[in-house]
Amino acid sequence: MKKNPALFGFIVALVVTVFAFGIYFLFLAKKNYYLVDNPTPKTYYFKINNGDEKVISAGQYVKVDLQKGKNDIKVFDDAKKLIYDSAFSVNKIRGLINITNSDYYIYTQYYGYDIKKDSLLEKLGKTNIDGKIYYGGPKKFSKLYTEDFYYNIDEDYDKVIKNIQKTESRVKIFRKQDFLNYYKEYYNF
């Protein structure tokens, strides 16, 4: 049988393409999931959509499965006494359930070549947190459910800027103390 260079090249290209997609999906692709978070020192129990009862300890977060559309949640204290029974609607592929009604901050980080950090932060607005002014327009969130972010509380912003030719932004949700620590470390005023 005679070797066919075109067929050999096609097979090599196909193998390289499959390998590249494999690397991407195994290591580089951003996973989409939903979290239930408890930043308080208390322990809670909860049931989502009348499923199994789950426990969430102090300072812990738990990945949960949600369906798009209406979802129900029942939250119990450490004595398994019902605190509340509520519903929320899921529209996106990642979200955070705030079962303790704690304060979170949703913050936008900008990437790009010629951003004037200080003027951009001032233009985006100010937020007063515990009597101190924070620039950049962090949005306070304390409701049961949100999906208005790209990075969840257990993820960090991109370490590498992918395209410096244009200004891009990524939105992350922080626990209150984590946001204060991030802001203090990242911005030197």
Short mmCIF file of all heavy atoms in Angstrom, two decimals, residues 112-163:
data_model
loop_
_atom_site.label_atom_id
_atom_site.label_comp_id
_atom_site.label_asym_id
_atom_site.label_seq_id
_atom_site.Cartn_x
_atom_site.Cartn_y
_atom_site.Cartn_z
N GLY A 112 -6.64 46.23 30.47
CA GLY A 112 -6.40 46.92 29.21
C GLY A 112 -5.10 47.67 29.22
O GLY A 112 -4.38 47.70 30.21
N TYR A 113 -4.83 48.33 28.10
CA TYR A 113 -3.52 48.95 27.90
C TYR A 113 -3.39 50.32 28.55
O TYR A 113 -2.47 50.58 29.28
CB TYR A 113 -3.23 49.04 26.40
CG TYR A 113 -1.92 49.69 26.10
CD1 TYR A 113 -0.74 49.04 26.39
CD2 TYR A 113 -1.87 50.95 25.55
CE1 TYR A 113 0.47 49.64 26.12
CE2 TYR A 113 -0.66 51.56 25.27
CZ TYR A 113 0.50 50.89 25.57
OH TYR A 113 1.69 51.50 25.30
N ASP A 114 -4.32 51.21 28.30
CA ASP A 114 -4.12 52.58 28.75
C ASP A 114 -5.23 53.05 29.70
O ASP A 114 -5.78 54.12 29.56
CB ASP A 114 -4.01 53.53 27.56
CG ASP A 114 -5.27 53.58 26.72
OD1 ASP A 114 -6.14 52.72 26.90
OD2 ASP A 114 -5.40 54.48 25.91
N ILE A 115 -5.49 52.26 30.68
CA ILE A 115 -6.49 52.66 31.68
C ILE A 115 -5.81 53.56 32.71
O ILE A 115 -4.75 53.24 33.21
CB ILE A 115 -7.08 51.42 32.39
CG1 ILE A 115 -7.84 50.59 31.39
CG2 ILE A 115 -7.95 51.82 33.55
CD1 ILE A 115 -8.38 49.31 31.96
N LYS A 116 -6.46 54.66 33.01
CA LYS A 116 -5.99 55.51 34.09
C LYS A 116 -6.76 55.07 35.32
O LYS A 116 -7.92 55.44 35.52
CB LYS A 116 -6.25 56.97 33.78
CG LYS A 116 -5.43 57.44 32.59
CD LYS A 116 -5.73 58.86 32.24
CE LYS A 116 -4.90 59.24 31.03
NZ LYS A 116 -5.33 60.45 30.42
N LYS A 117 -6.13 54.25 36.12
CA LYS A 117 -6.81 53.54 37.21
C LYS A 117 -7.57 54.49 38.13
O LYS A 117 -8.72 54.27 38.43
CB LYS A 117 -5.80 52.72 38.01
CG LYS A 117 -6.43 51.92 39.11
CD LYS A 117 -5.52 50.89 39.73
CE LYS A 117 -4.26 51.45 40.25
NZ LYS A 117 -3.46 50.48 41.00
N ASP A 118 -6.93 55.55 38.59
CA ASP A 118 -7.57 56.41 39.56
C ASP A 118 -8.79 57.13 38.98
O ASP A 118 -9.83 57.19 39.60
CB ASP A 118 -6.58 57.43 40.11
CG ASP A 118 -5.46 56.76 40.90
OD1 ASP A 118 -5.67 55.60 41.31
OD2 ASP A 118 -4.41 57.36 41.07
N SER A 119 -8.66 57.68 37.78
CA SER A 119 -9.78 58.42 37.20
C SER A 119 -10.93 57.47 36.85
O SER A 119 -12.09 57.82 36.98
CB SER A 119 -9.35 59.21 35.97
OG SER A 119 -8.92 58.34 34.96
N LEU A 120 -10.61 56.26 36.39
CA LEU A 120 -11.66 55.29 36.08
C LEU A 120 -12.40 54.89 37.35
O LEU A 120 -13.62 54.81 37.37
CB LEU A 120 -11.06 54.05 35.41
CG LEU A 120 -12.05 52.95 35.04
CD1 LEU A 120 -13.04 53.47 34.00
CD2 LEU A 120 -11.33 51.74 34.51
N LEU A 121 -11.67 54.66 38.42
CA LEU A 121 -12.31 54.30 39.68
C LEU A 121 -13.24 55.40 40.17
O LEU A 121 -14.33 55.13 40.66
CB LEU A 121 -11.25 54.00 40.75
CG LEU A 121 -10.45 52.73 40.56
CD1 LEU A 121 -9.40 52.60 41.66
CD2 LEU A 121 -11.36 51.53 40.57
N GLU A 122 -12.81 56.64 40.05
CA GLU A 122 -13.64 57.74 40.50
C GLU A 122 -14.88 57.89 39.62
O GLU A 122 -15.97 58.18 40.11
CB GLU A 122 -12.83 59.04 40.51
CG GLU A 122 -13.52 60.13 41.27
CD GLU A 122 -12.58 61.30 41.51
OE1 GLU A 122 -11.54 61.10 42.14
OE2 GLU A 122 -12.93 62.41 41.05
N LYS A 123 -14.73 57.68 38.33
CA LYS A 123 -15.85 57.81 37.39
C LYS A 123 -16.93 56.76 37.66
O LYS A 123 -18.11 57.01 37.48
CB LYS A 123 -15.34 57.68 35.96
CG LYS A 123 -16.41 57.83 34.92
CD LYS A 123 -15.84 57.69 33.53
CE LYS A 123 -16.95 57.75 32.51
NZ LYS A 123 -16.48 57.48 31.16
N LEU A 124 -16.53 55.57 38.10
CA LEU A 124 -17.48 54.48 38.33
C LEU A 124 -18.31 54.67 39.59
O LEU A 124 -19.28 53.96 39.78
CB LEU A 124 -16.73 53.14 38.40
CG LEU A 124 -16.10 52.71 37.09
CD1 LEU A 124 -15.24 51.49 37.31
CD2 LEU A 124 -17.15 52.45 36.04
N GLY A 125 -17.92 55.57 40.45
CA GLY A 125 -18.71 55.85 41.63
C GLY A 125 -18.02 55.41 42.91
O GLY A 125 -16.96 54.80 42.90
N LYS A 126 -18.67 55.74 44.02
CA LYS A 126 -18.13 55.44 45.35
C LYS A 126 -19.17 54.67 46.15
O LYS A 126 -20.37 54.82 45.93
CB LYS A 126 -17.82 56.73 46.11
CG LYS A 126 -16.93 57.69 45.42
CD LYS A 126 -16.81 58.95 46.24
CE LYS A 126 -16.69 60.15 45.32
NZ LYS A 126 -16.66 61.39 46.05
N THR A 127 -18.68 53.87 47.08
CA THR A 127 -19.56 53.14 47.99
C THR A 127 -19.01 53.30 49.39
O THR A 127 -17.80 53.16 49.61
CB THR A 127 -19.61 51.64 47.61
OG1 THR A 127 -20.08 51.52 46.28
CG2 THR A 127 -20.54 50.87 48.53
N ASN A 128 -19.89 53.58 50.33
CA ASN A 128 -19.51 53.73 51.73
C ASN A 128 -19.68 52.36 52.41
O ASN A 128 -20.78 51.83 52.47
CB ASN A 128 -20.38 54.78 52.41
CG ASN A 128 -19.94 55.08 53.81
OD1 ASN A 128 -19.40 54.23 54.52
ND2 ASN A 128 -20.19 56.30 54.24
N ILE A 129 -18.57 51.82 52.92
CA ILE A 129 -18.61 50.55 53.65
C ILE A 129 -18.02 50.81 55.03
O ILE A 129 -16.84 51.15 55.15
CB ILE A 129 -17.80 49.45 52.92
CG1 ILE A 129 -18.32 49.26 51.50
CG2 ILE A 129 -17.87 48.15 53.70
CD1 ILE A 129 -17.46 48.34 50.64
N ASP A 130 -18.82 50.69 56.04
CA ASP A 130 -18.40 50.88 57.43
C ASP A 130 -17.74 52.23 57.65
O ASP A 130 -16.73 52.35 58.34
CB ASP A 130 -17.46 49.76 57.89
CG ASP A 130 -18.12 48.39 57.85
OD1 ASP A 130 -19.37 48.33 57.95
OD2 ASP A 130 -17.40 47.38 57.72
N GLY A 131 -18.28 53.27 57.02
CA GLY A 131 -17.79 54.63 57.21
C GLY A 131 -16.58 55.00 56.37
O GLY A 131 -16.06 56.10 56.50
N LYS A 132 -16.13 54.12 55.51
CA LYS A 132 -14.98 54.41 54.64
C LYS A 132 -15.45 54.38 53.19
O LYS A 132 -16.26 53.55 52.82
CB LYS A 132 -13.88 53.37 54.87
CG LYS A 132 -12.62 53.68 54.12
CD LYS A 132 -11.52 52.69 54.47
CE LYS A 132 -10.28 53.02 53.63
NZ LYS A 132 -9.24 52.03 53.79
N ILE A 133 -14.91 55.28 52.37
CA ILE A 133 -15.29 55.39 50.97
C ILE A 133 -14.42 54.45 50.13
O ILE A 133 -13.19 54.45 50.25
CB ILE A 133 -15.13 56.84 50.46
CG1 ILE A 133 -16.03 57.79 51.27
CG2 ILE A 133 -15.42 56.93 48.97
CD1 ILE A 133 -17.51 57.51 51.11
N TYR A 134 -15.08 53.66 49.26
CA TYR A 134 -14.40 52.76 48.33
C TYR A 134 -14.78 53.17 46.91
O TYR A 134 -15.96 53.28 46.59
CB TYR A 134 -14.79 51.30 48.60
CG TYR A 134 -14.24 50.81 49.91
CD1 TYR A 134 -14.91 51.05 51.09
CD2 TYR A 134 -13.04 50.13 49.95
CE1 TYR A 134 -14.39 50.61 52.30
CE2 TYR A 134 -12.51 49.68 51.14
CZ TYR A 134 -13.19 49.94 52.32
OH TYR A 134 -12.67 49.51 53.52
N TYR A 135 -13.77 53.40 46.08
CA TYR A 135 -13.98 53.83 44.71
C TYR A 135 -14.13 52.62 43.79
O TYR A 135 -13.77 51.51 44.13
CB TYR A 135 -12.81 54.69 44.24
CG TYR A 135 -12.72 56.00 44.97
CD1 TYR A 135 -11.93 56.11 46.11
CD2 TYR A 135 -13.43 57.11 44.54
CE1 TYR A 135 -11.84 57.31 46.80
CE2 TYR A 135 -13.36 58.31 45.23
CZ TYR A 135 -12.56 58.40 46.35
OH TYR A 135 -12.50 59.58 47.03
N GLY A 136 -14.67 52.87 42.62
CA GLY A 136 -14.82 51.81 41.63
C GLY A 136 -16.23 51.24 41.57
O GLY A 136 -16.49 50.32 40.82
N GLY A 137 -17.13 51.78 42.36
CA GLY A 137 -18.53 51.38 42.30
C GLY A 137 -18.84 49.96 42.73
O GLY A 137 -19.64 49.31 42.07
N PRO A 138 -18.25 49.46 43.83
CA PRO A 138 -18.66 48.13 44.28
C PRO A 138 -20.14 48.14 44.65
O PRO A 138 -20.62 49.08 45.28
CB PRO A 138 -17.78 47.85 45.49
CG PRO A 138 -17.28 49.17 45.94
CD PRO A 138 -17.28 50.07 44.75
N LYS A 139 -20.86 47.09 44.22
CA LYS A 139 -22.30 47.02 44.49
C LYS A 139 -22.56 46.07 45.65
O LYS A 139 -22.12 44.92 45.62
CB LYS A 139 -23.04 46.52 43.26
CG LYS A 139 -22.95 47.44 42.08
CD LYS A 139 -23.66 46.83 40.89
CE LYS A 139 -23.06 47.40 39.63
NZ LYS A 139 -23.18 46.53 38.50
N LYS A 140 -23.28 46.56 46.64
CA LYS A 140 -23.62 45.74 47.79
C LYS A 140 -24.76 44.79 47.42
O LYS A 140 -25.70 45.17 46.73
CB LYS A 140 -24.05 46.63 48.95
CG LYS A 140 -24.38 45.87 50.21
CD LYS A 140 -24.76 46.83 51.33
CE LYS A 140 -25.17 46.09 52.56
NZ LYS A 140 -25.58 47.01 53.62
N PHE A 141 -24.64 43.57 47.89
CA PHE A 141 -25.65 42.55 47.62
C PHE A 141 -25.91 41.79 48.91
O PHE A 141 -24.98 41.36 49.58
CB PHE A 141 -25.13 41.59 46.54
CG PHE A 141 -25.88 40.30 46.50
CD1 PHE A 141 -27.13 40.23 45.91
CD2 PHE A 141 -25.36 39.15 47.06
CE1 PHE A 141 -27.83 39.04 45.89
CE2 PHE A 141 -26.04 37.97 47.04
CZ PHE A 141 -27.27 37.91 46.46
N SER A 142 -27.18 41.64 49.29
CA SER A 142 -27.51 40.86 50.49
C SER A 142 -28.79 40.06 50.32
O SER A 142 -29.32 39.54 51.30
CB SER A 142 -27.61 41.79 51.71
OG SER A 142 -28.60 42.77 51.49
N LYS A 143 -29.28 39.92 49.11
CA LYS A 143 -30.49 39.14 48.85
C LYS A 143 -30.17 37.64 48.84
O LYS A 143 -29.02 37.24 48.99
CB LYS A 143 -31.11 39.55 47.52
CG LYS A 143 -31.61 40.97 47.52
CD LYS A 143 -32.20 41.32 46.18
CE LYS A 143 -32.65 42.78 46.17
NZ LYS A 143 -33.12 43.19 44.86
N LEU A 144 -31.18 36.82 48.60
CA LEU A 144 -31.02 35.37 48.63
C LEU A 144 -30.17 34.84 47.48
O LEU A 144 -29.33 33.97 47.68
CB LEU A 144 -32.40 34.70 48.61
CG LEU A 144 -32.40 33.18 48.52
CD1 LEU A 144 -31.74 32.56 49.75
CD2 LEU A 144 -33.81 32.65 48.35
N TYR A 145 -30.37 35.36 46.27
CA TYR A 145 -29.70 34.76 45.11
C TYR A 145 -29.24 35.84 44.13
O TYR A 145 -29.94 36.82 43.91
CB TYR A 145 -30.66 33.81 44.39
CG TYR A 145 -30.07 33.17 43.16
CD1 TYR A 145 -29.15 32.14 43.27
CD2 TYR A 145 -30.41 33.61 41.89
CE1 TYR A 145 -28.60 31.57 42.13
CE2 TYR A 145 -29.86 33.04 40.76
CZ TYR A 145 -28.95 32.01 40.89
OH TYR A 145 -28.39 31.44 39.78
N THR A 146 -28.05 35.64 43.56
CA THR A 146 -27.57 36.51 42.48
C THR A 146 -26.78 35.68 41.48
O THR A 146 -26.19 34.66 41.83
CB THR A 146 -26.70 37.67 42.99
OG1 THR A 146 -26.45 38.55 41.89
CG2 THR A 146 -25.39 37.19 43.57
N GLU A 147 -26.79 36.16 40.26
CA GLU A 147 -25.98 35.56 39.20
C GLU A 147 -25.35 36.66 38.35
O GLU A 147 -24.95 36.44 37.23
CB GLU A 147 -26.85 34.64 38.34
CG GLU A 147 -28.13 35.23 37.88
CD GLU A 147 -29.11 34.22 37.30
OE1 GLU A 147 -29.05 33.03 37.60
OE2 GLU A 147 -29.95 34.68 36.50
N ASP A 148 -25.21 37.86 38.93
CA ASP A 148 -24.68 39.03 38.23
C ASP A 148 -23.17 39.15 38.37
O ASP A 148 -22.65 40.20 38.75
CB ASP A 148 -25.35 40.30 38.74
CG ASP A 148 -26.84 40.31 38.46
OD1 ASP A 148 -27.25 39.66 37.48
OD2 ASP A 148 -27.58 40.97 39.20
N PHE A 149 -22.45 38.08 38.10
CA PHE A 149 -21.00 38.09 38.21
C PHE A 149 -20.42 37.04 37.26
O PHE A 149 -21.13 36.20 36.73
CB PHE A 149 -20.54 37.81 39.65
CG PHE A 149 -21.06 36.51 40.19
CD1 PHE A 149 -20.36 35.33 39.99
CD2 PHE A 149 -22.24 36.46 40.90
CE1 PHE A 149 -20.84 34.13 40.48
CE2 PHE A 149 -22.73 35.27 41.40
CZ PHE A 149 -22.02 34.09 41.18
N TYR A 150 -19.09 37.10 37.08
CA TYR A 150 -18.39 36.13 36.26
C TYR A 150 -17.56 35.18 37.12
O TYR A 150 -17.52 34.00 36.89
CB TYR A 150 -17.50 36.87 35.26
CG TYR A 150 -16.82 35.96 34.26
CD1 TYR A 150 -17.53 35.43 33.19
CD2 TYR A 150 -15.47 35.64 34.37
CE1 TYR A 150 -16.91 34.60 32.27
CE2 TYR A 150 -14.86 34.82 33.46
CZ TYR A 150 -15.58 34.29 32.41
OH TYR A 150 -14.97 33.47 31.50
N TYR A 151 -16.88 35.75 38.13
CA TYR A 151 -16.07 34.94 39.04
C TYR A 151 -16.79 34.80 40.37
O TYR A 151 -17.23 35.79 40.96
CB TYR A 151 -14.70 35.59 39.29
CG TYR A 151 -13.84 35.66 38.06
CD1 TYR A 151 -13.64 36.84 37.39
CD2 TYR A 151 -13.23 34.52 37.57
CE1 TYR A 151 -12.85 36.91 36.27
CE2 TYR A 151 -12.44 34.57 36.43
CZ TYR A 151 -12.25 35.77 35.80
OH TYR A 151 -11.48 35.82 34.67
N ASN A 152 -16.89 33.58 40.86
CA ASN A 152 -17.55 33.30 42.12
C ASN A 152 -16.59 33.57 43.28
O ASN A 152 -15.42 33.88 43.08
CB ASN A 152 -18.05 31.85 42.14
CG ASN A 152 -19.40 31.73 42.80
OD1 ASN A 152 -19.68 32.36 43.82
ND2 ASN A 152 -20.27 30.91 42.24
N ILE A 153 -17.06 33.41 44.51
CA ILE A 153 -16.25 33.74 45.68
C ILE A 153 -15.01 32.86 45.81
O ILE A 153 -14.04 33.25 46.43
CB ILE A 153 -17.07 33.66 46.98
CG1 ILE A 153 -17.65 32.27 47.16
CG2 ILE A 153 -18.13 34.73 47.02
CD1 ILE A 153 -18.25 32.01 48.52
N ASP A 154 -15.03 31.69 45.22
CA ASP A 154 -13.90 30.77 45.32
C ASP A 154 -12.95 30.87 44.14
O ASP A 154 -12.03 30.06 44.01
CB ASP A 154 -14.39 29.33 45.46
CG ASP A 154 -15.19 28.86 44.26
OD1 ASP A 154 -15.77 29.72 43.55
OD2 ASP A 154 -15.24 27.64 44.02
N GLU A 155 -13.11 31.87 43.29
CA GLU A 155 -12.27 32.06 42.11
C GLU A 155 -11.56 33.41 42.20
O GLU A 155 -12.06 34.34 42.81
CB GLU A 155 -13.10 32.03 40.84
CG GLU A 155 -13.84 30.73 40.62
CD GLU A 155 -14.79 30.81 39.45
OE1 GLU A 155 -15.71 31.65 39.47
OE2 GLU A 155 -14.60 30.03 38.51
N ASP A 156 -10.41 33.49 41.55
CA ASP A 156 -9.66 34.74 41.48
C ASP A 156 -9.82 35.36 40.10
O ASP A 156 -10.16 34.67 39.14
CB ASP A 156 -8.17 34.49 41.73
CG ASP A 156 -7.90 34.07 43.17
OD1 ASP A 156 -8.60 34.54 44.07
OD2 ASP A 156 -6.97 33.26 43.38
N TYR A 157 -9.54 36.66 40.03
CA TYR A 157 -9.49 37.32 38.73
C TYR A 157 -8.38 36.69 37.89
O TYR A 157 -7.46 36.07 38.41
CB TYR A 157 -9.19 38.81 38.89
CG TYR A 157 -10.35 39.65 39.37
CD1 TYR A 157 -10.30 40.31 40.58
CD2 TYR A 157 -11.48 39.82 38.59
CE1 TYR A 157 -11.35 41.11 41.01
CE2 TYR A 157 -12.53 40.61 39.00
CZ TYR A 157 -12.46 41.26 40.21
OH TYR A 157 -13.49 42.04 40.62
N ASP A 158 -8.44 36.92 36.57
CA ASP A 158 -7.39 36.45 35.67
C ASP A 158 -6.05 37.04 36.10
O ASP A 158 -5.95 38.23 36.37
CB ASP A 158 -7.66 36.88 34.23
CG ASP A 158 -8.79 36.10 33.59
OD1 ASP A 158 -9.04 34.96 34.02
OD2 ASP A 158 -9.41 36.63 32.65
N LYS A 159 -5.03 36.20 36.13
CA LYS A 159 -3.68 36.68 36.44
C LYS A 159 -2.99 37.22 35.20
O LYS A 159 -2.07 38.02 35.29
CB LYS A 159 -2.83 35.53 37.01
CG LYS A 159 -3.37 34.94 38.28
CD LYS A 159 -3.26 35.90 39.41
CE LYS A 159 -3.73 35.23 40.69
NZ LYS A 159 -4.22 36.16 41.67
N VAL A 160 -3.41 36.78 34.02
CA VAL A 160 -2.81 37.17 32.76
C VAL A 160 -3.84 37.96 31.95
O VAL A 160 -4.97 37.54 31.81
CB VAL A 160 -2.36 35.94 31.95
CG1 VAL A 160 -1.79 36.35 30.61
CG2 VAL A 160 -1.36 35.12 32.74
N ILE A 161 -3.40 39.11 31.43
CA ILE A 161 -4.26 39.90 30.57
C ILE A 161 -4.20 39.29 29.18
O ILE A 161 -3.12 39.16 28.60
CB ILE A 161 -3.82 41.37 30.54
CG1 ILE A 161 -3.92 41.96 31.94
CG2 ILE A 161 -4.67 42.16 29.56
CD1 ILE A 161 -3.32 43.33 32.06
N LYS A 162 -5.34 38.91 28.65
CA LYS A 162 -5.37 38.18 27.39
C LYS A 162 -5.29 39.08 26.17
O LYS A 162 -4.72 38.72 25.17
CB LYS A 162 -6.64 37.33 27.33
CG LYS A 162 -6.63 36.25 28.39
CD LYS A 162 -7.91 35.47 28.41
CE LYS A 162 -7.82 34.40 29.47
NZ LYS A 162 -8.85 34.40 30.40
N ASN A 163 -5.88 40.26 26.23
CA ASN A 163 -5.89 41.16 25.08
C ASN A 163 -5.70 42.58 25.59
O ASN A 163 -6.62 43.17 26.13
CB ASN A 163 -7.21 41.02 24.32
CG ASN A 163 -7.25 41.88 23.08
OD1 ASN A 163 -6.30 42.58 22.76
ND2 ASN A 163 -8.35 41.83 22.37
#
